Structure formats: C-alpha cells, structure tokens
Amino acid sequence: MSTPAVAAQPPRETYINTDWSLRSWLLTIDHKRIAWLYLISISGFFVLGGFFALLIRLELLTPAGDLVSPDTYNRLFTQHGVIMIFLFLIPSIPAVLGNFLIPIQIGAIDVAFPKLNLASWYIYSLGGLFIVIALATGGVDTGWTFYTPLSSTYANSQVMWVAVGVFIVGFSSILTGLNFLVTIHTMRHKDMTWGRLPLFVWASYATSLINVLGTPVVAITILLVGVERMFGLAIFDPALGGDPVLFQHLFWFYSHPAVYIMILPAFGVISELMAGFSRKRIFGYNFIAASSVGIAVLGFIVWAHHLFTTGLSVYAATVFSALTMLIAVPTAVKIINWTTTMYQGSVSWDTPMLYALGFLGLFLVGGLTGVMLATLGIDIHVHDTYFVVAHFHYVMVGGAIMGFLGGLHYWWPKMTGRMYPETFSKLSALLVFAGFNLTFFPQFILGYLGMPRRYHAYPEEFQVLNIFSSAGASILGVGYLLPGLYFAYSLVFGEKAGRNPWGTVGLEWQIPSPPPPHNFVEGEEIVVTDAYDYEHDLIRDDLDRRVGPPRDAREVPVG
Amino acid sequence: MGSHASGVLAHHFHSISQQRAAHSLGMWLFMAQEIMFFGGLFTAYVVYRALNPLDFAVASSELDAVLGGVNTLVLIASSVTMALAVKYAQLGKKNMIVLFLIFTFLFASTFLVIKYFEYSAKFEHHTVPGYDFDFHVPADVIQKFELSPERIATMEKRAEVFFSIYFAMTGLHGLHVFIGMCLIIWLIFPAMKNKFNVDYHSPVENFGLYWHFVDLVWIFLFPLLYLLGRNIH
C-alpha cells in the first residue's frame, strides 16, 4: 500500500551519461562517441559547403554575371566541391554511422584500434583547419580536381593550403578504413560468420578497401604538386617535359574509386532499410554482399573515363568505356535485389523507408546517366556540361546523402534513445525528394542543350531552366534544414525509443538505446543469427517479447 | 581476464591471439597503403622513362653508383640485424633485442650519412631541380648519338625531370628511413624494460615489417635510378 521510492533507482549507465565533461568527449576512445564527434564536424562543413552552393544558385538566377565576379565564382564552385567531397561526403556514412554501428553489428565492444580511431578524427580536423584557413585567406579556384598546371605553374589562390588539407584528411580516411578492415576481420563475435554479416558491414568493408588502396595514390599526387610548387621540382610542368595528363591519371585513379567510397556505404544503409522496413529476409544476400566488393574492385580500373577528351588513345578510350559500363552489372544486382526484397514484404512507410525509396529512384537515374556518359560519343558531346553536373549530383546527393539521411533517421533512436517527430521527418523526406529533382533534373536538359559547367554567366535561353534549378535548391535547403531542427528538438523532447522501435533484426536492436558504454549488457546473451532472419524462431520470439508483433497488421508470410 | 589485469591485453580484445592478429593485419594493411603511396611515384617514373629513354639514361649515369651500391649493402645489412632483433623479441631475450636494434639504428644512420654526401654533391654539380639547375650533356654522348643542338637542349630539360623524380623518390624513401630511426629509439625503451616476451612482441615484429619494406623500396630504387642505362657512355 505504501509506495516505495521508485525514483531512488539511479538511471541506467549509457555511453552518453557515463561522463558529461568536455574532456571526456574530446579524449574518448569509444567508437560511439567518436561517431558523434564526426557527426558534429561534418554537419558544420555541410552547412559551409551548402552556403557556397546557395551563392552559386543565386548567381545563376540571371544570365548575366551580376552577383559575383568571375574570379569569385571560380572560388565558390571550387570550395563547394572541396568541402562537400573531402570534408562531408567521404567521411559521412563511414565515419558517423560506420563508427557507431560496425562494432555493435559484429558483436564487438569497440573497433580494433580505438586510439587510432580518435587520432583519425583529430587528423580530419587538422586537415579541415587547413582548408578553413585557405578559405579565410582568399580561397581556392582550381576546381576540386586541382588539375595542373592550373594548380602549379598558374596557381593564383591558396592552392597549397587546400592541397595540404586534403592530403591530411586523406590519411584520416586511410586510417579509418584500415581500422574497419581489421575490426571486421578480427573482432567479430564467435557466432558472427562472414555469411551472417549485415550488408552494411559488407559495404563498409568494400569501402574501406578503397580507402586503404586508393587514397595513398592521391596523397602522393598532391605531394608531388606540393614539391613542384615549393621546391621547383619538375614533375608535371610541361615546360620541362613533365606531363599534366599524368596528373589527371593519378588523380582519377583515386578520385573515381572515391565516388564508390561515397556511394557504397549508402548501398549498405539501403540494404538495411529495405530488409528492415519490408520485414523480410533480404533477397539475394550473397549477391548484394559480393556486388559491393565487386564494385570496389572494378572501380579501380575505370578511372580514365574522366579523360576521354584529354588525349586518350582510341583503344584505351574504348577499353575504359567498356569497363565503365561493366560497373552497371553489380550495381543493377543491388537495385534488383532491393526491389525484389519489397515484393511480398510487409512494407511500412516510416521516414527511413521514404528516404530509401527516394534513393532507389534517384540513384537509378544517376546510375543510368552514368552508363550514358560511359558511351564515348555521348561523353564527347556533353563533357564538362551541366549534364555531368546533374549526373554526379544524382549519385552523390540523390544517392549518398539520401542514404546518409535515411540511415541517420533509422539509427537516430539507437544513438540517442529518442524518437523524432514523425510528421516533420516525413515532410522533410518529401521536401528533399521534390526539391532535389527540381534542382537537378533541369540541369540534365541544360547540359544536353550545351550549357557548360563552371561559368558564372550564360545565354538568355537557359534562364527558365536555371530558375527552376535555383527554386528547387531553396526547397532542398529547407528539406536539409528541417532534420537539423527536429533532431535537436528530439534530443530533449523526443519520445523514449526503447530497444527496438522499428521491430527490426540486428545486434544493434538487441541492446538498450542508447547503448551502454561497452555496447552489450553484461550477462545478457547475444543472439547471432543469419542477417535479417525474420523467420528464425529465436528472432521472432525475441521481437515479440521486446516490441510485439510487426506494426503492420498484415501477416508476415512464413515459408 | 588475467591478461587484461597484466596490462598487456587491451580492454576491447578478449585474448592475446586476437590482439596479435589485429596488430599484425593492421600493419600489413598499412604496408599495402605504403605500396600504393610509393606506387604513384613509381608510375610517374615508368611513364617518364618510357617517354624519354635516352634522356633518362644520360641523366641517370651522372649518379654515383658506387655510393648507391654501398648504401644498398648497408640497408641489406640493416634488414639482417632487424630480422635478428625480431627473432630475439619472439624469444624474449632483452639484451639481444636492444643490441640488434642499435645495430639497425647505426646502419640506418650510415645510410643517411652517405645519402647526405650524395645530395651535397648534387648541389655542387647544379643538378638540383629548381636550384640553379644547370645540366650539360657529356661530350661523348653527343658524339656517340650525333645529337643536334635542339636535341641537346631538350635533353638538358628532361634531365631536370629525371632529377626531380630522383629527389622525390629518394627523398620520400629517406624520410621513411628517418621515421624508422625514430621508431627504433621508441622501441629501445620498452625493450630495455624487458617488455617483450614470447606472448607480447608485436611492436618489434610490426616495426620489422616496416623496416623490411623500406629496405625493399630501396632494392627497387637502386637499379631503376642508378643502374639502368649506365652503359650509355
């Protein structure tokens, strides 16, 4: 009858409340906290890169170059590219979601090298600092590709600061990749076989391979430009017999695979979302896993398709064209398997799934226009036009960022222990999808009609489509701003999430949200089954016990 | 849990063998990264050599193959002493580890001292790119290949590309040797405190991998830079 003091029970220890001091965050070696350090830094850079995009779209509202000078415009698109690629997209999914999830998904308490993991964040920050210093002292105008001799003999901006920054950030991604590879190889739970790894882990594995094997090549290339600038060594200088095209080969040997560094992790996220929100074992697990590694390997032998117009022999161009088209095969394997996963699944329309479905459509357009660009005749026609700009934004923004946002919405309750407001999140997913298409679809047409990229002025007949594009960009901007607001809101006011708010399968959903400092609750058994095994008795019992039957009323077909 | 208490096993590993496997794989991946890093330079070398074979041969024959050869022997010797240091680390013999680490260190410094003399000679002969570069094609080569004045002029320019590649490759390699020497000093202290034994020796083992890699790079650099085309005269 008398009520005992329930409140006396201390709150459960989580990785967040275990120590609130700033020092404990800045010196943490907990992979979950390091994920937060990255999330905060990349969000900052995303806003900065977005700010440059905003100015670009404002300038392009009118045909005349009336907002900024040509020199300033060169800096705007260069800085937009450098920040979005090196400081946002490349670390986005791997360093945030990968850091948080990989150890948990394989049943480990941390990555193999926790201190190195923290060091990677500091290296990333140092590189970011160099780039920020470059921006503050005049900016850079070579394009994110740093082509010589524009970046060496004729450089007239802060190329060196940015190059050194990119060089340093590169080592951050090499070390993160190395850490993940070793973690996946040596830290798995004893029951977590290679054939049971969640597909996000497989995708991260493939990404890490590229990080470790590709990034050093761009590092040495940038170093060579550096010594050419600083000590006058003659490496790429045509006046002395050096070859600027060699720079392009070396640069794209990394930077094309870097496209897969950005998109492969998103593939991994989408695999998780498709299985999770269809409440069904993923279709073609082996094929999806193998296609990730296949894309990583094939990605290394297609780089010269960026050089079709810069003096590649006809034979080489034909070979690289064919190899590039080959990439479409493993990519199609994924798309078809995701679609088939939804077939006869009990699909629910939660926010993460909206992003996943958006991804499917946008990435399909981005991928197919990639095959068009691999075709020699078309590529010569649309080379360096807005067609290319639209293509890679469909892949990078429509693919990688949709994947990142989908993943962030899916695992946010796990990371914070809180749910975000559903209506707003669905609204933002729709705004992103609509705004994105309005921004970038007109650019396909503009490019096909011949509007070149990287100019601040254009003929009047292109204005209508450019206005569409700028209008879409403002919608897209609102769509990106909203999650920032409601995520922050949810941290304090969000509904408590519980262990498994979605009723999905995976080791991360067996542990409390937010997880305890060492991921798994001491003494609680870790149930490792095949990935997404919704029909497994243990899993069904576990789900029923923890979250009840699927939210969707339809019966899950039991085969 | 006993190993956790002793401080050798980090908190996130559950066994010594798991920890050793992780450290070893990490080092091998780092080596893969290093190979790709140097690989970019080797690619540049191969491309330029293929484009300018005669020019590179002429410039290459200016290098001091005797000093380069001595340095090759010095590095091979250092690899032997390093291999012995690893062996004794696996056996946990403290004094022998320290002894052979010091030998390795001495060979490494010998390499850099010889390299210093080679580099200073380049400054005297004006064959340092971007620093009063002034290369003259030897008279016997002009005669043998009946070079026109225009050809001689381009050859003198291409020589600057060769020496640029030479300094980039040997400079980056020298930097790796220097980093290796710092790491040896960093290893000697725990070795003296008897930290390495049958169960725990991966720092020495992994440094050994690094050191052999640095040695191996030189084994490629020496013939490519010093020996190919010496018969030009």
Side-chain angles (χ1 to χ4, degrees):
Chain A
M1 307 322 123
S2 64
T3 46
V6 185
Q9 201 183 1
R12 184 178 63 80
E13 191 191 17
T14 70
Y15 78 99
I16 299 172
N17 69 14
T18 184
D19 191 347
W20 284 102
S21 67
L22 183 66
R23 186 189 147 85
S24 79
W25 279 89
L26 291 179
L27 295 179
T28 183
I29 52 167
D30 181 341
H31 64 102
K32 302 182 287 302
R33 289 181 157 220
I34 293 171
W36 276 100
L37 296 180
Y38 274 111
L39 180 59
I40 293 163
S41 348
I42 66 160
S43 303
F45 283 118
F46 180 71
V47 171
L48 191 58
F51 170 71
F52 292 125
L54 173 81
L55 292 180
I56 291 171
R57 282 323 315 170
L58 274 179
E59 166 62 65
L60 294 178
L61 266 176
T62 54
D66 38 17
L67 181 67
V68 295
S69 70
D71 267 343
T72 310
Y73 189 78
N74 289 345
R75 284 169 166 74
L76 290 182
F77 70 71
T78 302
Q79 288 158 190
H80 169 68
V82 167
I83 290 174
M84 286 303 199
I85 288 170
F86 295 110
L87 297 177
F88 174 72
L89 279 169
I90 290 178
S92 63
I93 299 181
V96 178
L97 299 176
N99 249 324
F100 195 92
L101 289 165
I102 291 173
I104 301 179
Q105 288 191 328
I106 65 173
I109 64 172
D110 210 323
V111 292
F113 306 113
K115 286 179 197 151
L116 188 67
N117 201 14
L118 178 65
S120 305
W121 180 72
Y122 277 101
I123 294 172
Y124 166 85
S125 305
L126 182 68
L129 182 68
F130 271 75
I131 293 174
V132 168
I133 289 175
L135 301 186
T137 54
V140 60
D141 68 352
T142 58
W144 77 278
T145 47
F146 308 115
Y147 273 11
T148 53
L150 187 57
S151 61
S152 50
T153 317
Y154 303 108
N156 57 357
S157 56
Q158 300 288 21
V159 182
M160 267 347 285
W161 282 94
V162 176
V164 172
V166 169
F167 179 84
I168 296 172
V169 170
F171 279 92
S172 160
S173 67
I174 292 172
L175 294 174
T176 303
L178 185 149
N179 217 335
F180 287 171
L181 287 176
V182 177
T183 304
I184 297 168
H185 268 278
T186 62
M187 306 290 286
R188 300 190 315 277
H189 185 273
K190 63 178 174 19
D191 297 335
M192 183 56 82
T193 57
W194 286 93
R196 286 176 158 180
L197 287 177
L199 287 166
F200 179 70
V201 177
W202 270 107
S204 301
Y205 186 88
T207 311
S208 303
L209 277 180
I210 308 176
N211 273 330
V212 172
L213 297 177
T215 319
V217 178
V218 82
I220 188 73
T221 312
I222 291 174
L223 196 64
L224 288 175
V225 175
V227 292
E228 181 162 331
R229 288 266 288 160
M230 286 186 281
F231 305 117
L233 258 58
I235 308 276
F236 301 121
D237 186 354
L240 295 164
D243 189 354
V245 179
L246 177 67
F247 172 87
Q248 296 184 20
H249 279 285
L250 290 172
F251 178 82
W252 286 112
F253 181 83
Y254 162 75
S255 294
H256 191 77
V259 172
Y260 302 108
I261 293 180
M262 299 179 240
I263 196 68
L264 273 171
F267 290 165
V269 170
I270 299 302
S271 300
E272 300 286 318
L273 298 183
M274 286 295 172
F277 292 95
S278 304
R279 296 282 181 289
K280 192 166 157 260
R281 186 146 199 218
I282 200 149
F283 188 84
Y285 171 93
N286 291 334
F287 283 89
I288 298 183
S291 66
S292 287
V293 181
I295 290 172
V297 173
L298 274 180
F300 274 109
I301 49 173
V302 302
W303 77 89
H305 64 222
H306 293 272
L307 286 84
F308 284 161
T309 60
T310 31
L312 205 62
S313 79
V314 178
Y315 302 106
T318 312
V319 170
F320 276 105
S321 167
L323 286 170
T324 304
M325 290 181 191
L326 216 56
I327 291 262
V329 176
T331 315
V333 164
K334 284 182 187 295
I335 301 248
I336 292 165
N337 280 315
W338 290 328
T339 320
T340 320
T341 302
M342 285 189 284
Y343 178 67
Q344 291 207 335
S346 69
V347 178
S348 51
W349 304 97
D350 297 298
T351 312
M353 189 59 166
L354 292 186
Y355 278 106
L357 293 170
F359 170 99
L360 210 56
L362 299 183
F363 179 73
L364 196 63
V365 175
L368 288 176
T369 48
V371 181
M372 286 172 75
L373 286 169
T375 317
L376 290 171
I378 299 180
D379 186 70
I380 306 282
H381 177 61
V382 296
H383 180 82
D384 256 355
T385 69
Y386 264 86
F387 192 87
V388 178
V389 176
H391 155 70
F392 69 72
H393 279 89
Y394 264 79
V395 177
M396 304 285 81
V397 185
I401 300 187
M402 291 292 270
F404 176 62
L405 284 177
L408 202 57
H409 281 86
Y410 180 48
W411 284 295
W412 186 261
K414 182 54 61 186
M415 294 171 75
T416 64
R418 303 272 185 174
M419 299 302 288
Y420 42 82
E422 198 170 320
T423 323
F424 278 110
S425 60
K426 284 187 172 160
L427 177 71
S428 92
L430 292 177
L431 283 179
V432 167
F433 185 79
F436 175 84
N437 278 305
L438 190 57
T439 310
F440 292 104
F441 199 83
Q443 297 186 1
F444 277 126
I445 306 169
L446 281 170
Y448 207 80
L449 294 176
M451 178 170 165
R453 63 193 285 204
R454 295 181 168 173
Y455 282 80
H456 75 313
Y458 54 84
E460 275 182 23
E461 69 250 38
F462 293 143
Q463 189 174 14
V464 175
L465 287 169
N466 269 299
I467 288 176
F468 274 129
S469 184
S470 293
S474 58
I475 299 176
L476 191 58
V478 174
Y480 286 146
L481 211 59
L482 267 179
L485 297 177
Y486 62 71
F487 275 151
Y489 168 88
S490 78
L491 284 177
V492 186
F493 302 106
E495 192 190 321
K496 286 258 166 44
R499 288 194 179 208
N500 191 351
W502 313 110
T504 47
V505 171
L507 290 190
E508 73 269 34
W509 304 112
Q510 295 183 14
I511 59 173
S513 321
H518 288 265
N519 296 349
F520 297 93
V521 181
E522 196 119 346
E524 217 172 80
E525 199 202 349
I526 304 175
V527 184
V528 181
T529 61
D530 286 356
Y532 326 110
D533 196 351
Y534 284 89
E535 278 126 63
H536 195 289
D537 291 343
L538 270 175
I539 291 293
R540 285 183 72 95
D541 291 350
D542 190 58
L543 284 180
D544 286 349
R545 183 161 50 81
R546 287 181 177 164
V547 293
R551 277 203 250 172
D552 201 315
R554 269 184 296 160
E555 193 61 25
V556 180
V558 184
Chain B
M1 279 296 146
S3 306
H4 279 119
S6 72
V8 173
L9 183 61
H11 75 283
H12 55 294
F13 293 114
H14 53 68
S15 67
I16 285 280
S17 66
Q18 186 193 29
Q19 173 168 292
R20 197 184 298 152
H23 287 176
S24 170
L25 180 62
M27 198 61 201
W28 278 104
L29 286 170
F30 186 73
M31 294 294 93
Q33 181 277 134
E34 286 277 32
I35 289 173
M36 297 307 285
F37 194 60
F38 276 95
L41 263 178
F42 277 96
T43 307
Y45 169 88
V46 168
V47 168
Y48 288 142
R49 178 124 211 165
L51 287 175
N52 318 293
L54 184 61
D55 315 60
F56 263 48
V58 172
S60 150
S61 62
E62 292 290 305
L63 296 182
D64 194 328
V66 176
L67 284 185
V70 171
N71 252 348
T72 309
L73 294 177
V74 168
L75 270 194
I76 292 176
S78 80
S79 254
V80 174
T81 54
M82 190 60 226
L84 287 167
V86 171
K87 183 76 207 156
Y88 285 114
Q90 287 164 344
L91 296 172
K93 295 197 171 158
K94 178 187 124 188
N95 292 339
M96 299 303 266
I97 308 173
V98 175
L99 182 70
F100 281 105
L101 281 178
I102 290 176
F103 271 134
T104 313
F105 185 87
L106 290 178
F107 281 125
S109 8
T110 313
F111 176 88
L112 284 187
V113 168
I114 293 178
K115 205 76 219 153
Y116 166 78
F117 284 115
E118 270 193 84
Y119 274 12
S120 15
K122 304 274 177 306
F123 277 94
E124 277 166 31
H125 299 148
H126 299 286
T127 46
V128 181
Y131 184 85
D132 279 345
F133 188 84
D134 190 16
F135 179 81
H136 296 289
V137 181
D140 62 321
V141 175
I142 299 178
Q143 239 174 11
K144 188 173 171 188
F145 294 95
E146 295 167 359
L147 299 178
S148 67
E150 295 81 38
R151 186 70 187 85
I152 295 171
T154 41
M155 190 173 275
E156 285 170 358
K157 276 185 173 179
R158 299 295 184 272
E160 190 161 2
V161 176
F162 173 81
F163 281 103
S164 296
I165 296 268
Y166 165 82
F167 274 102
M169 293 181 107
T170 55
L172 189 67
H173 176 261
L175 182 68
H176 277 76
V177 173
F178 178 73
I179 292 170
M181 289 168 64
C182 299
L183 290 173
I184 292 177
I185 296 174
W186 174 74
L187 277 177
I188 283 179
F189 290 105
M192 289 202 299
K193 285 184 200 148
N194 212 0
K195 282 274 166 67
F196 303 121
N197 52 48
V198 184
D199 280 334
Y200 180 71
H201 49 259
S202 49
V204 185
E205 207 169 66
N206 289 333
F207 174 73
L209 274 178
Y210 171 85
W211 192 253
H212 296 316
F213 169 80
V214 172
D215 186 14
L216 206 54
V217 170
W218 181 258
I219 298 295
F220 280 91
L221 286 184
F222 176 58
L224 287 180
L225 293 171
Y226 290 77
L227 298 184
L228 278 184
R230 284 207 79 74
N231 54 356
I232 200 84
H233 294 284

